Amino acid sequence: MIAYRQIGDSFIPAQHQPALILDYARSRELDERGDKALRGTGLRGWAMPDADSTLSPAQYLQLLANVMRELDSPDTSFMLGQQMLPGHFGALSHALLQARNLRQALEILCAGAVRLCPLLTPRLREEGALAVLYWTDSFGAPSQLPALVEMHMTAVTAMCRWLGGERLPWRYCLNRGAPAHVEQHEAHLGTDLRFNCHLDAMLIHPEWLDRPWPRGNAMAASVALDGAAAEAGADALASAPSLLTALYDHLLANIRLGPTLELSAAAFGVSAATMKRHLARHGSHFQAELDQVRAHVAIHLFQARGYDNEAVAQYLGFHDATNFRRSFKRWTGLTPSVLRDGLLGFAT
């Protein structure tokens, strides 16, 4: 049975990411305006939270939404990202600090996502001329997703620049239309930006993955990773992903087998009706999750393997390319050829 966490489960240490949000808000004198930014968060004041206090993803999302609204500044998400990684989140943060190279840092980030970035799930994919780090929503926060993506992409960009000793040539795909002003994106991420990508991703040439980092220490990283494993071993649910993340992974692993709501619910040890209710609490439903995975797989096959419509349709189990094209346009709003041509142009 697949283990998972839900949006109302309290497991995020309040002294981790929430404390960073509080500290930044105080630096902007938000605490002097009263406690409006703390409403619905479970936090009882602006002081450092107790060591054993935890927040649920819903409360952490509420804290972010409150702070973003009260500050009402276009740079808030980027500034929060600047201080997010490596963080002070235990052994995993120490492992990031000692990472030998970009590959190890990204592997640590993906493996330790529950602790390091609980609201978005990073996934690393390498094939051909591209290494792709892409992000999916962990707990169902569509209205906050643009800010969360900006925050997390900035965090990875800043961390890699610091640990690697140079600015890496990342390219950025964002799953939304271009904003009226892109100055903050360019200042914190760079100018190699593309919007309307139907995937939130950071792209880089694989040659950068294994370049040694000046701060890297193989032995120290190994010791820190052993410590992280020990921390996780003390809590059976320590590394359990969110429901949306676990379902995404399950669907991705079974995408060629025609996954259904009933079969997927059984893998999670619940009824189809219960799975529907759980997904509804996360602002989603099974077909939306399945369509997202199918779209991501199709994009990958177009971009990394150069598949045409017929090949992708066959891979995903469609009867013919016409049926696939119709479905793909429903998923993304674009025909496969339009999106494929754009992706191939960006990959060069």
Side-chain angles (χ1 to χ4, degrees), residues 65-267:
N66 292 350
V67 170
M68 296 283 293
R69 182 187 64 250
E70 294 299 312
L71 291 178
D72 191 25
S73 173
D75 70 347
T76 300
S77 58
F78 300 97
M79 295 303 295
L80 290 174
Q82 287 284 350
Q83 60 183 7
M84 181 178 168
L85 293 174
H88 58 280
F89 315 137
L92 283 169
S93 289
H94 290 297
L96 281 177
L97 282 168
Q98 306 296 336
R100 301 188 307 274
N101 48 41
L102 176 60
R103 182 188 300 279
Q104 187 176 40
L106 297 183
E107 288 174 348
I108 292 169
L109 178 67
C110 293
V114 172
R115 285 281 182 178
L116 296 172
C117 49
L119 297 183
L120 289 187
T121 300
R123 293 180 175 83
L124 178 63
R125 177 179 284 164
E126 179 188 356
E127 188 163 343
L130 279 178
V132 180
L133 179 71
Y134 72 104
W135 308 82
T136 57
D137 190 350
S138 298
F139 288 99
S143 64
Q144 292 176 249
L145 202 53
L148 285 172
V149 169
E150 292 163 359
M151 179 177 165
H152 286 67
M153 285 188 174
T154 301
V156 172
T157 301
M159 178 187 72
C160 293
R161 185 175 186 176
W162 178 43
L163 297 180
E166 60 184 322
R167 186 161 194 159
L168 302 188
W170 289 107
R171 290 177 282 171
Y172 303 87
C173 291
L174 294 109
N175 184 17
R176 66 181 188 276
H181 304 284
V182 298
E183 290 85 354
Q184 294 297 332
H185 290 80
E186 292 177 345
H188 294 278
L189 299 179
T191 58
D192 209 341
L193 304 161
R194 174 165 292 193
F195 295 89
N196 296 307
C197 288
H198 303 281
L199 186 71
D200 291 306
M202 299 170 61
L203 289 66
I204 198 167
H205 195 283
E207 69 178 12
W208 289 90
L209 292 175
D210 297 308
R211 291 192 181 190
W213 279 0
R215 296 175 180 270
N217 185 310
M219 181 176 294
S222 178
V223 170
L225 288 173
D226 287 344
E231 288 178 358
D235 180 359
L237 279 175
S239 58
S242 72
L243 171 63
L244 297 185
T245 297
L247 180 58
Y248 184 104
D249 292 340
H250 171 75
L251 294 174
L252 185 62
N254 294 279
I255 199 65
R256 304 192 71 181
L257 302 178
T260 65
L261 170 62
E262 291 72 21
L263 289 174
S264 298

Side-chain angles (χ1 to χ4, degrees), residues 4 35 44 49 55 75 86 108 118 127 181 199-200 207 230 250 302 304 307-308 322 330:
Y4 59 93
D35 290 341
R44 299 179 180 178
L55 270 61
D75 70 347
I108 292 169
E127 188 163 343
H181 304 284
L199 186 71
D200 291 306
E207 69 178 12
H250 171 75
F302 286 144
Y307 279 20
D308 59 17
T322 300
R330 175 171 58 83

Side-chain angles (χ1 to χ4, degrees), residues 301-317:
L301 295 175
F302 286 144
Q303 185 179 58
R305 301 188 187 180
Y307 279 20
D308 59 17
N309 291 347
E310 288 72 18
V312 175
Q314 183 179 12
Y315 187 96
L316 292 176

